[in-house]
Amino acid sequence: LGYFDTATTGYFGDVTEQAVKAFQKENKLSQDGAVGRQTSDVLFSNEAVREPVVSVKKPAPKVVKSSKPIVGNMRDWFSYVNSRWPRGSKCLVIDYETRIQYNMIRVGGYNHADVEPATKDDCAKLLKTYGGSWSWNRRAVVVRIGGEYIAGSTNGYPHGYETVSGNNMTGQVCIHFLNSRNHVRNLVDPSHQAMVRKASGK
């Protein structure tokens, strides 16, 4: 959810306690730094509030007007996309609104694709689609997989483990497709699904 912004330590130390307190504060819970029953229930609920992203005033990315927008096919994640984008392989991602293109490598994920920019240049392009600031906001994207353009949705806030080094991003972001699910309680994310539909032109 964005509160623990460092490499995984494997133990419950000061950094973890501060992350828990920050989570409790944003979710209007008692800030004791302990994951008791009430905190645990909220943490693993679909209503858990993510860490707020600091607003930075930067110009919004320019939307490219096109008479022939690039749209993707609606393909089910579990029965179709998952097997066609194997871990370790690179795919072209096209931001639906700005038409900015960058390459992402799938590094993991079961319920959706966990991905990282292939290079520093790809990282800069991904960041540009967010106006220069990392954000949990969802964006409609079209992913070229095996020659086919498929509708998807990405977030833009690095989190989790890191696999690709030297790309100027610590961690990974997620790309969702039709019927994909999040890591929390295996639920479909409505905001990601809305962006998938947008990327398909609907």
Side-chain angles (χ1 to χ4, degrees):
L1 297 171
Y3 295 93
F4 189 86
D5 190 19
T6 186
T8 304
T9 61
Y11 62 90
F12 195 107
D14 292 339
V15 176
T16 309
E17 182 179 352
Q18 292 307 311
V20 171
K21 286 182 177 179
F23 170 81
Q24 290 170 330
K25 179 181 179 181
E26 292 299 329
N27 286 271
K28 297 179 173 53
L29 300 168
S30 175
Q31 299 168 46
D32 59 4
V35 185
R37 177 65 182 272
Q38 187 178 24
T39 296
S40 180
D41 286 347
V42 176
L43 180 63
F44 293 101
S45 75
N46 212 30
E47 289 74 39
V49 177
R50 292 181 178 276
E51 180 184 38
V53 177
V54 178
S55 178
V56 179
K57 290 187 176 181
K58 293 189 178 181
K62 184 178 180 182
V63 176
V64 177
K65 302 294 183 181
S66 172
S67 58
K68 270 184 92 175
I70 299 173
V71 297
N73 296 323
M74 297 273 279
R75 299 295 191 193
D76 183 80
W77 163 251
F78 291 101
S79 65
Y80 191 89
V81 182
N82 185 29
S83 61
R84 285 168 171 77
W85 191 0
R87 297 183 183 197
S89 63
K90 179 173 63 177
C91 282
L92 179 71
V93 178
I94 305 167
D95 186 75
Y96 183 78
E97 289 189 358
T98 66
R99 304 295 187 264
I100 293 173
Q101 301 183 15
Y102 49 89
N103 293 292
M104 299 295 276
I105 297 174
R106 182 182 176 189
V107 298
Y110 174 76
N111 288 340
H112 54 259
D114 292 333
V115 299
E116 297 179 34
T119 67
K120 293 179 181 179
D121 184 55
D122 293 311
C123 179
K125 290 176 180 177
L126 167 63
L127 189 57
K128 186 176 181 181
T129 67
Y130 279 94
S133 298
W134 297 121
S135 169
W136 284 109
N137 291 341
R138 281 67 163 134
R139 291 189 66 84
V141 294
V142 177
V143 185
R144 190 176 69 191
I145 302 175
E148 181 180 9
Y149 292 93
I150 301 177
S153 171
T154 189
N155 63 46
Y157 198 95
H159 61 282
Y161 59 88
E162 180 177 5
T163 301
V164 180
S165 61
N167 63 1
N168 276 3
M169 189 177 88
T170 302
Q172 60 192 237
V173 296
C174 306
I175 296 183
H176 283 242
F177 296 89
L178 179 65
N179 298 324
S180 60
R181 298 174 180 271
N182 59 32
H183 292 308
V184 180
R185 291 193 175 181
N186 194 35
L187 296 174
V188 171
D189 187 310
S191 55
H192 270 306
Q193 294 303 305
M195 290 296 102
V196 171
R197 290 191 295 272
K198 180 176 179 178
S200 74
K202 295 182 179 180

